[in-house]
Amino acid sequence: MGSKWMLDASQDEEASMTSKLSVGVNSSGKVCGIVKAGKGALEWDGLGDTLKTATNMGVKIIEGLQEVLSPRAETVGFCG
């Protein structure tokens, strides 16, 4: 993708990349893990904005999962 960053790439998109950066966040939006994979180099311009986007989206995904899983947790013993 050149020097572009992509959020939640498909399998086909990932197959065309030479590197990827995975960012793990917790429900508070704190970065708790970063993994770089692939042989390609990453361009660090805009990394701060990329991490900000990853944390914002990560929190939204976690909130959505909690909404779906919370009612079910009471019936199956989910530890939240």
Side-chain angles (χ1 to χ4, degrees), residues 2-77:
S3 62
K4 302 291 183 194
W5 294 90
M6 181 178 291
L7 180 70
D8 197 21
S10 70
Q11 285 183 332
D12 289 339
E13 291 166 334
E14 281 193 24
S16 69
M17 297 177 188
T18 58
S19 63
K20 71 176 182 176
L21 187 71
S22 298
V23 180
V25 300
N26 64 19
S27 60
S28 301
K30 302 286 184 190
V31 174
C32 52
I34 298 177
V35 176
K36 187 263 184 200
K39 295 180 180 180
L42 296 175
E43 294 190 20
W44 297 108
D45 292 344
L47 179 62
D49 290 337
T50 301
L51 291 175
K52 214 178 275 188
T53 299
T55 56
N56 290 339
M57 292 305 298
V59 168
K60 288 180 183 180
I61 291 168
I62 291 168
E63 287 171 350
L65 286 170
Q66 287 175 333
E67 268 184 48
V68 171
L69 295 175
S70 289
R72 182 167 162 74
E74 295 170 11
T75 61
V76 295

